[in-house]
Amino acid sequence: MTYPIRPVNEAEWPAFAEVLSEGFGWAPHPQESERFKAQTEFDRTLAAFDGDVIAGVTAVFSFTMTVPGAQIPVAGVTAVSVLPSHRRRGVLSSLMRRQLSDVRERGESVAALYASESVIYGRFGYGRASSEMGFSISKHGSAFVANAPTDPSLRIRVAKPAEARAEFERLFASVVAARPGRYLRNEQFWSAVLADEEFDRHGNGPLRSVIAEDDRAVRGYALFRIKANWDDDGVPNGLLKLQELEAADPAARALLWRSVLDRDLISRVEGGRPVDDALIALLADPRQLRASCADELWVRLVEVDRALTSRAYSSAVDVVIEVEDDVCPWNARRWRLSADASGAECKPVEDEPDMSLPVSSLGSAYMGDGLLAAQLDAGLLREHSAGSVRRLDAAMAWSPKPWAGLSF
């Protein structure tokens, strides 16, 4: 069967949300649903219809996202779901193909998403492009190295998050370009970050914040919740759940970490951070950091040539790449990528390729995570010119590592 696909309007939001509820087992508080509705760009929604029934949905957020050396428009794919009654009927494939075509027509060369199930999106050309470190650290094992940065002009100020919103927004805007994967937040996204209704707390305490500042400016902030607890002997055993920690410089970053790690009545701090977070280097005993690693952003190059010329490269490279792409056939050809410190050029050619790879491999490397050599070693790529994959891998790698830091 074929299912007509079109955007939905606000009056159809309840039916759109019902598909999400069924697909994700999502039972949001009414205010939470309204919050997501406020974030939704209705002209960028898509729904597949079986008669009058919405059988599947997806949507896009229009982001300005940091990539290596630049900030570009990126389609933030979200709300991908199909009714259980309509699985395995081609609904998802139709929606994803239509969405990628729409993204291309809007002039966005890159799409990105958070995957609810990591096995789904590879077949649509998405590659795992960034990772997140889930961490847990005991307060008593969190001492810093002796030469950790300090600045006597800095001080910590306790602030009510809702009242300090403008300060958070300014600071975040000043640091968002420093790491690939970060994206600018509009008013609705900031409202969601600072939301503090009872259902937002999930059994933890209210949202709290501290600010690092000097006499001239705010230089960083941390957002967190505390789950208070005492053990059977009356010893405080609270848990601090870090939501965000943003800083403009190393001294402010170190001071904010010390503020959350030294919090009274807390025994442990947990959260999610970049895999190369400065905390790892700051700890005197890094073994105290209990860490796990999971996929975060998945990236899809919608137009290979425009995407590859929109970012910077860590070293010069000149290679011919044969791209395999069954979903976006305009990408499926040989491209010559030439890049150096002055910029990049990517043009279609008929030359013999240095390598052949699926478009998902380029997506996995696009933000700078350096995964091409690992895929070669795993036998997932074909190299025709010895050393070409590793040269491309080195050129596309970036420091700091990519991390979005806020799911969408």
Side-chain angles (χ1 to χ4, degrees), residues 22 33 36 39 67 90 105 118 246 251 292 324:
E22 290 290 340
S33 180
F36 185 55
Q39 292 177 301
V67 301
E105 288 182 9
S118 58
E246 305 290 348
S292 61
E324 301 157 0

Side-chain angles (χ1 to χ4, degrees), residues 3-125:
Y3 300 89
I5 295 174
R6 64 166 173 81
V8 300
N9 55 50
E10 288 196 46
E12 294 171 306
W13 172 257
F16 185 95
E18 183 61 25
V19 179
L20 298 179
S21 176
E22 290 290 340
F24 288 100
W26 186 44
H29 188 280
Q31 287 179 254
E32 188 178 10
S33 180
E34 286 299 309
R35 189 184 299 157
F36 185 55
K37 178 182 176 182
Q39 292 177 301
T40 299
E41 300 172 42
F42 280 90
D43 63 327
R44 305 208 70 179
T45 62
L46 288 174
F49 286 81
D50 183 1
D52 294 332
V53 175
I54 296 181
V57 298
T58 186
V60 166
F61 294 126
S62 303
F63 287 143
T64 298
M65 185 175 284
T66 302
V67 301
Q71 289 181 291
I72 66 171
V74 169
V77 175
T78 188
V80 181
S81 192
V82 175
L83 282 180
S85 57
H86 287 70
R87 295 176 67 241
R88 308 196 191 287
R89 297 191 191 181
V91 176
L92 178 61
S93 294
S94 297
L95 284 167
M96 298 303 287
R97 288 173 182 270
R98 164 66 183 275
Q99 184 180 66
L100 288 168
S101 179
D102 289 355
V103 167
R104 185 190 187 205
E105 288 182 9
R106 283 186 175 250
E108 295 158 330
S109 62
V110 176
L113 56 80
Y114 277 79
S116 56
E117 293 183 88
S118 58
V119 299
I120 294 176
Y121 294 99
R123 68 180 188 267
F124 301 113

Side-chain angles (χ1 to χ4, degrees), residues 182-201:
R182 309 308 300 273
Y183 58 92
L184 296 174
R185 300 170 181 172
N186 62 22
E187 179 181 351
Q188 289 76 26
F189 269 74
W190 270 109
S191 294
V193 167
L194 300 177
D196 197 27
E197 302 295 336
E198 191 63 38
F199 61 84
D200 293 307
R201 298 176 183 181

